Amino acid sequence: MTTTIIWTIAILTVLGGLLAVILFLVAKRFKVEEDPRIDEVEKVMPGANCGGCGFAGCRAFAQSCVEAGNLDSNFCPVGGNDTMKKVAEVLGLEVKEKAPMTAVVRCNGSCENRPVINDYDGLKSCRVKAALYSGDTGCPFGCLGCGDCVAACQFGALSMDTGTGLPVVDQDKCTACGACVKACPKAVIELRNKGPRNMRVFVSCVNKDKGAVARKACKAACIGCGKCAKVCTHEAITVENNVAYIDFTKCKLCKKCVAECPTGAIHAVNFPVIKPKPAPTAAPAATPAPAPVAEPVKKEE
């Protein structure tokens, strides 16, 4: 019995050693050499692994930068231009600066503008709700209000406003990684340029119904009237499928469209508030000069 155990242990030991040698030779034979610059690029990355760059993580992005030979099609939204400059230094390449971007919620369907007509009592998830029906209101295109975008954001840049029922973006925390865009089943969140001094103009509506139907569902809906496109002198506005869209690469922030929109669907963000000039005060009436007092005439004696 003891001899059998000893032989079993010996055979297993030899077999294990033989397999280890075989695995070592195979690993050595098929070893893939990696460019050491991948490690160097990964070190200067923010390490968020958010996927906003379009790759699975920071290492996959670093490998793409090394293999591509240029940085024209690669950009890290979290690290921004500062990180891309470091990547360029590591690889000895040039990189063009890109305008910073931020997430924008293109829905103005607050509780006041878009009354609730259904009562949802299921799992609090926009994706689940969208799979079941069109939503709690008469607008089948608007925000569902469950906060999937908030849960998807790794940087705490989104929160739900309990007063409006809509998500709010903190532009100082937003890295434009695009996680909220992917999480929204209604596609009401878009990445747009922050704009000079963080000023931007956009249509806060994605409702594709005809004007009367859209307005019935939401008081602040775009009705596709095209008035904004007519006053825009920069050809930045197009109306398609009954809803207007502003191309932020062409918009000059003149705000003519904002004043022209009859429903208030176009929003102007972070513009300075211009105080109305005070009405000119009337000049005080001139005080009439006192009438000259006539001296008494002296009678001659």
Side-chain angles (χ1 to χ4, degrees), residues 36-144:
R37 293 179 299 170
I38 296 176
D39 293 329
E40 296 179 24
V41 172
E42 187 181 12
K43 288 179 182 177
V44 302
M45 300 299 295
N49 293 311
C50 60
C53 57
F55 295 92
C58 292
R59 185 165 187 82
F61 176 81
Q63 183 176 351
S64 173
C65 292
V66 172
E67 293 176 353
N70 62 71
L71 302 175
D72 295 343
S73 57
N74 291 334
F75 186 77
C76 173
V78 177
N81 292 316
D82 292 338
T83 294
M84 293 309 300
K85 288 178 182 178
K86 295 177 182 178
V87 173
E89 289 177 3
V90 171
L91 301 178
L93 301 173
E94 294 183 358
V95 61
K96 297 179 181 178
E97 286 199 7
K98 292 187 178 181
M101 304 187 79
T102 186
V104 169
V105 180
R106 294 188 58 209
C107 178
N108 197 30
S110 62
C111 301
E112 180 183 355
N113 293 332
R114 192 175 48 145
V116 175
I117 60 174
N118 297 314
D119 185 16
Y120 175 74
D121 192 23
L123 180 66
K124 192 172 177 60
S125 166
C126 296
R127 193 164 296 279
V128 172
K129 186 186 286 189
L132 295 175
Y133 73 130
S134 60
D136 300 334
T137 70
C139 175
F141 300 93
C143 174
L144 295 172

Side-chain angles (χ1 to χ4, degrees), residues 140-194:
F141 300 93
C143 174
L144 295 172
C146 292
D148 285 20
C149 53
V150 177
C153 182
Q154 301 181 35
F155 307 98
L158 280 122
S159 60
M160 295 301 296
D161 188 326
T162 55
T164 63
L166 297 172
V168 178
V169 180
D170 186 338
Q171 65 179 23
D172 295 328
K173 295 181 179 179
C174 180
T175 61
C177 68
C180 56
V181 178
K182 298 175 184 176
C184 180
K186 293 293 186 179
V188 299
I189 303 180
E190 178 191 14
L191 296 181
R192 297 177 68 90
N193 282 355
K194 281 189 174 181

Side-chain angles (χ1 to χ4, degrees), residues 233-294:
T233 56
H234 308 290
E235 298 182 351
I237 303 178
T238 54
V239 180
E240 187 176 350
N241 294 326
N242 303 311
V243 64
Y245 180 79
I246 299 176
D247 185 343
F248 56 82
T249 62
K250 297 179 180 179
C251 179
K252 303 301 180 183
L253 306 177
C254 66
K255 294 200 299 181
K256 291 180 180 179
C257 56
V258 179
E260 193 69 20
C261 181
T263 64
I266 303 179
H267 289 193
V269 181
N270 294 329
F271 283 80
V273 178
I274 301 176
K275 297 181 179 179
K277 295 181 180 179
T281 55
T287 306
V293 179

